[in-house]
Amino acid sequence: MQKHIPQMVDPTLAEMGKNLDEAMKILEDNQRPSEEERDGKKHSRKDIPGPLQGSGQNMVSILQLVQNLMHDDEEEESLSFRRIQNVGEQGHMALLGHSLAAYISVLDRDRLRKLTTRILSDTTLWLCRLFRYDHGSAYYHEDDREGLLKVCRLVIHSRYEDYTTDGFNALYNKQPVIYISAASRPGLGQSICNQLGLPLSCLCRVPCNTMFGSQHQMDVALLDRLIKDDIQSGKCPLLLVANAGTPGAGHTDKLGRLKELCDQYNIWLHVEGVNLATLALGYVSSSVLAATKCDSMTLTLGPWLGLPAVPAVTLYRHEDPSLSLAAGLTSSQPVEKLRALPLWLSLQYLGHSGIVERIKHASQLSQKLLESLKNLSSVKTSVENDGSSPVVVFRFVYEGCKSDSTLNLSTIERDSDALNQWLGDQLAALVPLCGVDIVELEDEGTCVRFNPLMTTAVLGTTAEDVEQLVACLRMKIPVLQNTLKLKEEFRQEVERIAGLSYINDYSWAGLGVLRYEQFNEEQDSDKREADLEKITVALLKKLNELETDLPFSSGPEFGAEKNCIYIGMASEDLDVPELVETITAMGREIEENTRLLENMTEVVRKGILEAEVQLYKANEERLLEEGVLRQIPLVGSMLNWFSPVQTTPKGRTFNLTAGSLETTETTYISKAQTTGLTPPSTPTSAHAKRQPGQKLFKRLSRNSDAMSETSSISHLEEVESLEALPMPDTQQFDSTADELSATAENSAIPSVVPTETSSEASQEPIILNANTAESDSLR
């Protein structure tokens, strides 16, 4: 037998594939710039647009520039970098398709027409068989809304025979109507009307069910009445857009009944949604299987299969190719047909089994998560009864509101959206490979959504990631419950204490928001606002320095409330009264120190001037007492040696707390600095006593109380044992005191200048020595 020898690959194609591999290696390089390189890039001009270089650059330099622009602001473990790492070889095939399309477009016309026809027919045949859409045609487009736009033009050409010649004048007498579900993508209907040049009156939004069935499904009975009313008004029902997987909750409309209604009134039925991907599986629910009978459907294969830069596909059935050409669904230009080339290459690389396996894997992940959520009583899911949707939407609900009399039902409903927003953000940050996001539903409110068909192929989500997601959810639920329980107690404590204001910010998921109010009401509004901002910043800094698990912040960057303390999620053993009292005490201390610091400059200046006057008078009195001869340098030394003068140094001490001048005679006599006033006590919390290792704002459990009693008993026993010891000899202390007294007499007492603005530092006096002032006056 003659051995089969494979044909040689075109050298140009081989070089193209080689260049693509090298380019992807450069772009997917894991290396990150060093600290020196990052610092140098801050001062470089590479990111600033400049003139085109005349000599040109090589491919490696250009790709290196692209890589720097892609990863310039990313962190080490950024999500976008993971997406590039998980492109895989099937993604390389899709990228190769774009390079091949540019290469094939330069072929001669006959060869190009033959090649593009084969690519288009193969891709259309594979997709129709894969998604059970018999006898269909395909339109490939970049924007996923463009397929629906072309279908609308096709239907207009079909229903209005004079539209080709008369244009919009043909629509004047019989206005077309496009029906779209209220659960469809926001802005879809408006975009279609704008592209077609139709007024918004041609758009009819069909509400969803309110009494029976899913609240995310189109109300078929109401649609029937709307169609009848439009026909009686002389309008032309044109097209109905239904969902096989709504953008929010992933629910499927009753496509079977909708198809019957459309056949009755000669309306085109178009279906879109993520649930259409399950048509490729072996078992398909009846609700989704009805989509195979519709007139057209749009498939977004890129996110389903993890293929970058592949077009979306709209499959449709129509027998008149001339109308399809007029609507733009087909083209006579061979280059237009090359849009299917990246998809043609990727589908061949994956194969039928590979495509089914990816969709099946995503569906299994959603079922795994759904089964785990059923065991959590505090989590409510919003899924279809038949389990046809791979989208899982869930939200946190507090089950103990009925049994807990301290909670208000309206308060729980009001805070629910903020709590679920926080929960979704936490899950997305802790388990980024699951790709959960936040979705706003009309009836349920804020929910967390897991849509594996749109994220798994790109992120590489596994069953272990789903298990980790459930574990994180179990960990966060007690935090949500405890915070919700303590919200009302926190509000009552804040309103009970003067000097604090409770702020109602329903967008904040934490324990609550408060504002410290100043006690001084004599300031103007601008000065008061500036001082309040300073106090709030200082208070936040001190609170964040505390040894506690409770987070404090200034709130959202663009929030409506200013100069507030936002307190985060709370634990079960949080001592709310201690928390509020501590914030009050810290704020009062900061306010007093701030007021003292503002007045200190003027008070010290006046005190020094008064002290200088008194010291000058004291020097004059000393001159009169000692005589003039003692002031002459040489003669005075001799007189002082023969007849020393026994005088006590006269000075003044300035008490910052009292704001008054006092004599230093008591200081020199007692060899210690004392003040006549008792300093005010610093405000502290009533719960200052705590056990070693215990963090702030934590309630003591029974075990800790028992430990406290044991430690108190042991401390008393230790004190009794110390009292039983013999007292030391008092003569030793007397001799030591004499030595210290003698040393103090021979040394000058230094001046004391306060360096702190706290209440403790403000108690230290400023001592001005009369001898120092005397030498200055003699000069």
Side-chain angles (χ1 to χ4, degrees), residues 554-572:
S554 58
E557 182 179 358
F558 302 101
E561 301 293 340
K562 302 297 182 183
N563 300 327
C564 296
I565 305 295
Y566 284 75
I567 304 175
M569 309 302 287
S571 58
E572 184 179 7

Side-chain angles (χ1 to χ4, degrees), residues 582-707:
T582 302
I583 294 176
T584 307
M586 285 185 174
R588 196 168 302 169
E589 180 182 1
I590 293 173
E591 183 181 1
E592 292 176 357
N593 294 337
T594 303
R595 189 180 298 112
L596 176 62
L597 182 62
E598 293 176 353
N599 299 332
M600 184 177 296
T601 303
E602 185 66 20
V603 172
V604 171
R605 187 184 66 83
K606 293 181 179 179
I608 291 177
L609 292 177
E610 184 181 353
E612 289 179 351
V613 174
Q614 295 185 10
L615 292 177
Y616 183 77
K617 294 181 179 179
N619 289 332
E620 291 182 347
E621 295 177 358
R622 191 164 63 88
L623 287 175
L624 295 176
E625 293 177 359
E626 297 178 359
V628 180
L629 292 178
R630 291 184 181 273
Q631 312 305 322
I632 303 175
L634 184 60
V635 177
S637 300
M638 296 292 295
L639 289 176
N640 290 333
W641 185 74
F642 284 109
S643 177
V645 178
Q646 300 294 333
T647 59
T648 303
K650 296 182 180 180
R652 297 293 184 272
T653 174
F654 182 70
N655 194 328
L656 292 177
T657 303
S660 60
L661 285 174
E662 300 175 0
T663 180
T664 58
E665 294 180 359
T666 57
T667 303
Y668 286 102
I669 294 174
S670 62
K671 305 299 187 298
Q673 299 176 3
T674 59
T675 58
L677 297 177
T678 302
S681 59
T682 302
T684 56
S685 173
H687 306 266
K689 298 181 180 179
R690 57 186 64 257
Q691 298 300 322
Q694 180 188 357
K695 293 187 177 181
L696 288 173
F697 316 133
K698 295 289 186 180
R699 287 194 178 98
L700 290 175
S701 61
R702 294 181 178 179
N703 295 334
S704 59
D705 294 339
M707 293 177 56

Side-chain angles (χ1 to χ4, degrees), residues 217-283:
Q217 290 179 340
M218 192 184 303
D219 192 338
V220 181
L222 181 58
L223 174 63
D224 189 8
R225 293 196 298 268
L226 291 174
I227 295 175
K228 290 180 180 179
D229 294 341
D230 290 335
I231 293 176
Q232 292 177 0
S233 301
K235 298 181 180 180
C236 177
L238 195 68
L239 181 139
L240 172 64
V241 181
N243 292 295
T246 55
H251 288 202
T252 302
D253 291 325
K254 299 173 182 177
L255 300 179
R257 294 184 57 188
L258 292 177
K259 179 58 179 173
E260 295 175 359
L261 196 64
C262 290
D263 291 340
Q264 178 183 351
Y265 295 104
N266 192 21
I267 299 177
W268 184 284
L269 177 60
H270 178 82
V271 180
E272 60 180 22
V274 68
N275 294 351
L276 293 175
T278 59
L279 291 173
L281 301 178
Y283 169 76

Side-chain angles (χ1 to χ4, degrees), residues 393-445:
V393 177
F394 60 93
R395 68 196 310 266
F396 164 77
V397 292
Y398 185 62
E399 297 293 340
C401 59
K402 297 181 180 179
S403 59
D404 196 344
S405 58
T406 62
L407 295 178
N408 190 354
L409 184 59
S410 60
T411 303
I412 296 175
E413 294 177 353
R414 188 175 57 229
D415 298 332
S416 180
D417 289 344
L419 294 174
N420 282 281
Q421 178 73 38
W422 177 86
L423 178 61
D425 294 338
Q426 290 290 312
L427 296 178
L430 295 175
V431 195
L433 290 180
C434 283
V436 296
D437 59 352
I438 308 297
V439 61
E440 297 287 341
L441 300 181
E442 184 176 357
D443 297 320
E444 288 85 353

Side-chain angles (χ1 to χ4, degrees), residues 49-83:
L52 183 64
Q53 297 185 9
S55 59
Q57 302 183 53
N58 55 22
M59 185 185 68
V60 177
S61 301
I62 297 175
L63 292 176
Q64 189 65 44
L65 174 61
V66 174
Q67 184 201 31
N68 294 337
L69 295 176
M70 291 167 58
H71 306 298
D72 186 28
D73 298 329
E74 294 180 4
E75 299 293 336
E76 291 294 330
E77 296 293 336
S78 63
L79 184 60
S80 57
F81 185 69
R82 278 200 199 97
R83 290 175 181 263

